[in-house]
Amino acid sequence: MTDYNYNNKVATALGTIGTVLWCVQLIPQIYTNFRRKSTEGLPHLMLLLWAYAGILFGIYFLVQRPNLPLMIQPEIFTFLSFVTWAQCLYYGSKFSFIKTIVVVSLVVAFSAGLQVAAIIPLQNSALCHNSPNSTCWPLILIGIMAAVLIVIGLVPPYFELWRRQGQVVGINFWFLALDCSGALLSFASLLFPQTDKDGNPKQEDYLGMVLYLLVPLMEAGIVASHFVWWLRIGRSLNKSHTDVEKGRERSR
């Protein structure tokens, strides 16, 4: 017999840890951009697509209501994505500060309105997942769209890798590590069968599992690309740089 009380606690704990990681995942990237005063190598399109994926994630999970941390998580993800996208406009596209604020504010306002407008009509049909009369295909479609945007958003970095022979430039590895960890913990939280507030077993959220697996898989490819670049090129560059420094020291 499934201990749903235990499962609910474990799922909430894992989801909470995942949410905490996702609360800070983009902060290293934001700090790196600020310190460098540049977003070179960080695709602007990736952040905008991620922001809208977060909007769709928010609709999906706020209607689905798996657990509180997973309902909050997409909103934080969206906020951080918009902040980083604003840096891309300011540092990369050379927008003025005022223009950046205006553009980002308008996009955020539109996105918030879109999310609210989608959640209200979906709640009545999607909250009854366990009812045979429920019609949840719009929610499933939204979840699929979110997954597609996440995947598409991670495609531009691969073009950057191709341009730079596989080297990662401008993307903070702590950001990738935190992002992957948060996604995997959120995925793990969905593996435990849970109950709703009335004590009824919730339907397995397979779509949510897929969504949280896509991120670490795509980001692992980015890390692997940089590692291969280091083996092929970066290691020899470091050796050459070291030899030059030693030569300078001897000539002094």
Side-chain angles (χ1 to χ4, degrees):
M1 183 176 179
T2 303
D3 187 348
Y4 287 107
N5 185 46
Y6 172 79
N7 286 350
N8 288 343
K9 291 179 179 178
V10 173
T12 300
L14 291 173
T16 300
I17 298 172
T19 298
V20 170
L21 292 177
W22 272 31
C23 285
V24 299
Q25 57 152 341
L26 273 167
I27 291 177
Q29 185 64 58
I30 292 170
Y31 174 74
T32 297
N33 296 341
F34 175 77
R35 182 172 54 84
R36 295 171 61 231
K37 299 295 187 291
S38 170
T39 55
E40 181 185 0
L42 181 65
H44 301 190
L45 182 60
M46 179 185 80
L47 279 308
L48 184 59
L49 290 174
W50 272 20
Y52 274 96
I55 294 293
L56 296 177
F57 270 127
I59 296 170
Y60 181 83
F61 285 116
L62 285 172
V63 175
Q64 184 82 341
R65 296 187 179 181
N67 54 61
L68 184 60
L70 290 184
M71 293 165 63
I72 298 173
Q73 190 180 75
E75 307 306 315
I76 298 171
F77 176 76
T78 301
F79 172 75
L80 292 175
S81 296
F82 274 129
V83 170
T84 316
W85 181 60
Q87 288 185 313
C88 290
L89 296 180
Y90 185 67
Y91 294 129
S93 299
K94 305 302 180 184
F95 280 24
S96 68
F97 181 77
I98 298 299
K99 185 177 180 180
T100 300
I101 294 297
V102 170
V103 170
V104 174
S105 297
L106 289 174
V107 173
V108 169
F110 169 77
S111 303
L114 179 66
Q115 189 174 69
V116 172
I119 289 173
I120 293 174
L122 281 172
Q123 281 183 329
N124 291 333
S125 62
L127 279 177
C128 303
H129 256 274
N130 294 313
S131 170
N133 297 322
S134 63
T135 304
C136 300
W137 66 264
L139 189 63
I140 294 173
L141 180 61
I142 287 173
I144 292 173
M145 290 170 60
V148 170
L149 286 181
I150 286 290
V151 174
I152 294 176
L154 284 168
V155 170
Y158 282 87
F159 283 102
E160 291 289 332
L161 294 174
W162 178 75
R163 288 176 51 203
R164 304 172 193 275
Q165 297 182 298
Q167 182 185 15
V168 174
V169 174
I171 298 178
N172 186 285
F173 284 101
W174 278 109
F175 148 59
L176 293 178
L178 292 171
D179 196 34
C180 286
S181 300
L184 289 173
L185 285 169
S186 298
F187 167 78
S189 74
L190 296 176
L191 296 177
F192 293 85
Q194 302 171 59
T195 58
D196 58 23
K197 61 182 180 180
D198 298 321
N200 300 314
K202 289 184 178 180
Q203 180 176 319
E204 295 292 341
D205 189 5
Y206 296 111
L207 180 57
M209 294 179 186
V210 172
L211 299 182
Y212 282 118
L213 276 180
L214 289 174
V215 172
L217 286 175
M218 294 292 287
E219 290 178 343
I222 295 174
V223 175
S225 173
H226 187 77
F227 180 68
V228 172
W229 170 84
W230 181 81
L231 290 176
R232 292 174 51 247
I233 301 173
R235 184 169 50 175
S236 59
L237 289 177
N238 290 339
K239 185 177 183 302
S240 299
H241 179 73
T242 302
D243 292 341
V244 169
E245 290 297 323
K246 288 181 179 179
R248 288 176 179 174
E249 290 178 0
R250 289 170 185 167
S251 62
R252 288 175 184 174

